Amino acid sequence: MLDFNPLYSTPQAEAVEGFINQHYPLVAPVSCRLLQRGLNDVYLAVGGDSERYVFRLSHQRARGPADVKTETAFLTHLRQSGVPVAEPILTRDGALFLRGYAPEGAREGVLFRAIDGRKPQGMGAGDALANGKTLALMHNAAETFSPDGALYRLDLEHLLFRPLARIRDGGVVEDADIRNDLEHIAARTAEAIEAFSSLTWTYCHGDCHGFNSRINDAGEAVFFDFDDGGPGYLAYDLSVFLWAQVSFGRSSTAMWDAFIHGYRAVRPITPEDFEAALRFVIVRHFWLMGEYASRAQEWGSEAVGWIAREADFLKTWETERFVDRLF
């Protein structure tokens, strides 16, 4: 019999139900259904008392294993600090995460209490402002958190240079001129960021684009999806929201203004961090392209073909924002 040696498998909902029933003190019986698959597998779990939970099974990624230990420790710290975030649920043994085994290897699982509230509605100004406030509260709380043993640092090596290498070496951009453009854009961006003298370092959410939140009855943005987080540049954490407003043909900088207004209502932003956030839009786009490039064998070349078209967006952002500072 041929062993196909799978890159990625999707556990059946029934298997996840059994896993949760075995390891978590929920009211039985627990029922599950798959919500989404891709960067992670996410399941809705409903206990016998109708309480709702979300079970996230981490994906095998090019960066390495999921840093669920630091992530769940940070979430616990945020909850204790009064920051509205998803709450990880303890196992029967008092652990915040578990490892299960799939054909491709070990995968880390975390169970969260489902967040009450609505999805952000097209990212209106009120929801953008709420996201800015929660991010600022998170950064305030991060000042008293020690990410000892964190597996990843959200520095330029992690966010820019390794993703660039995945694009370059993965064969997803065949045109040599486009590859050269990407190399030059990355080099100029890194040089500009490294020229800043005092960028703030914090613990980052890492994926605060606005839709990794729910808006509760109090109007607060409750954050989830911290699995791309880690110690890193505060300017990068800000930039992800701006990037989400201007990438892939979008143009809603009014939402960026509302987001920044909400952030500044809680916490100041230094001029250097604010200026650097504009540069980090490019870094964020490289990070995303690198994530997709690393999945080419799993998702197929058609699913990552868009990467070869993104040099135009990056060059346009450079030209419009930094034309007098490019060289």
Side-chain angles (χ1 to χ4, degrees):
M1 181 180 292
L2 179 64
D3 182 359
F4 284 107
N5 190 23
L7 286 170
Y8 172 49
S9 63
T10 304
Q12 296 185 36
E14 292 80 3
V16 175
E17 289 172 359
F19 189 81
I20 292 174
N21 278 317
Q22 178 183 354
H23 293 289
Y24 289 92
L26 307 188
V27 176
V30 174
S31 63
C32 288
R33 62 181 172 89
L34 182 66
L35 293 177
Q36 66 180 47
R37 66 187 295 274
L39 298 181
N40 296 300
D41 291 333
V42 181
Y43 298 80
L44 175 67
V46 182
D49 57 355
S50 299
E51 286 292 316
R52 299 167 67 251
Y53 304 86
V54 172
F55 182 72
R56 190 196 72 209
L57 195 58
S58 297
H59 196 294
Q60 297 283 317
R61 296 174 66 169
R63 68 178 184 186
D67 190 6
V68 287
K69 181 178 180 181
T70 311
E71 176 194 359
T72 53
F74 186 53
L75 285 170
T76 300
H77 175 77
L78 293 178
R79 292 282 299 182
Q80 293 170 347
S81 302
V83 182
V85 295
E87 178 185 3
I89 303 298
L90 293 173
T91 68
R92 296 182 190 277
D93 297 328
L96 286 166
F97 64 93
L98 292 168
R99 286 190 176 90
Y101 291 89
E104 65 272 20
R107 295 178 65 178
E108 295 79 9
V110 183
L111 183 70
F112 301 93
R113 192 174 302 280
I115 301 171
D116 293 327
R118 60 172 176 80
K119 295 180 179 180
Q121 297 174 341
M123 197 46 61
D127 292 350
L129 185 142
N131 271 267
K133 285 184 175 180
T134 297
L135 187 64
L137 289 170
M138 192 201 87
H139 287 159
N140 280 343
E143 293 179 358
T144 54
F145 177 70
S146 298
D148 297 331
L151 297 182
Y152 307 106
R153 288 168 56 87
L154 275 58
D155 54 16
L156 291 181
E157 184 66 26
H158 180 87
L159 297 169
L160 180 62
F161 296 127
R162 288 179 192 146
L164 177 63
R166 292 176 192 133
I167 297 164
R168 183 184 60 236
D169 301 337
V172 297
V173 178
E174 296 180 356
D175 189 307
D177 290 337
I178 295 176
R179 290 199 303 272
N180 286 335
D181 282 344
L182 293 174
E183 295 271 1
H184 293 149
I185 293 167
R188 290 193 296 268
T189 301
E191 182 180 6
I193 290 171
E194 289 166 349
F196 288 106
S197 60
S198 56
L199 293 181
T200 303
W201 195 258
T202 186
Y203 195 95
C204 296
H205 179 284
D207 204 20
C208 184
H209 47 60
F211 292 98
N212 281 332
S213 67
R214 293 292 180 267
I215 308 300
N216 65 18
D217 290 342
E220 299 171 312
V222 185
F223 281 4
F224 59 92
D225 264 6
F226 282 71
D227 57 313
D228 286 316
Y233 291 104
L234 184 146
Y236 174 72
D237 231 13
L238 295 174
S239 77
V240 175
F241 192 91
L242 176 57
W243 165 85
Q245 310 309 310
V246 299
S247 57
F248 300 107
R250 295 179 291 243
S251 179
S252 27
T253 53
M255 297 306 99
W256 167 244
D257 294 339
F259 174 80
I260 291 299
H261 180 70
Y263 190 100
R264 283 177 167 152
V266 175
R267 175 187 174 94
I269 305 172
T270 70
E272 278 212 336
D273 286 333
F274 186 80
E275 177 70 16
L278 304 182
R279 296 282 186 181
F280 271 105
V281 167
I282 292 174
V283 174
R284 168 65 179 194
H285 210 65
F286 270 101
W287 174 86
L288 184 72
M289 292 190 296
E291 281 292 302
Y292 271 73
S294 73
R295 303 307 211 303
Q297 290 191 41
E298 177 189 326
W299 293 345
S301 58
E302 292 296 316
V304 301
W306 59 271
I307 294 172
R309 301 188 292 271
E310 294 307 297
D312 287 342
F313 163 68
L314 297 171
K315 286 190 290 187
T316 299
W317 184 259
E318 269 196 316
T319 301
E320 292 181 350
R321 298 286 172 167
F322 313 115
V323 65
D324 59 335
R325 288 166 281 180
L326 282 181
F327 305 104

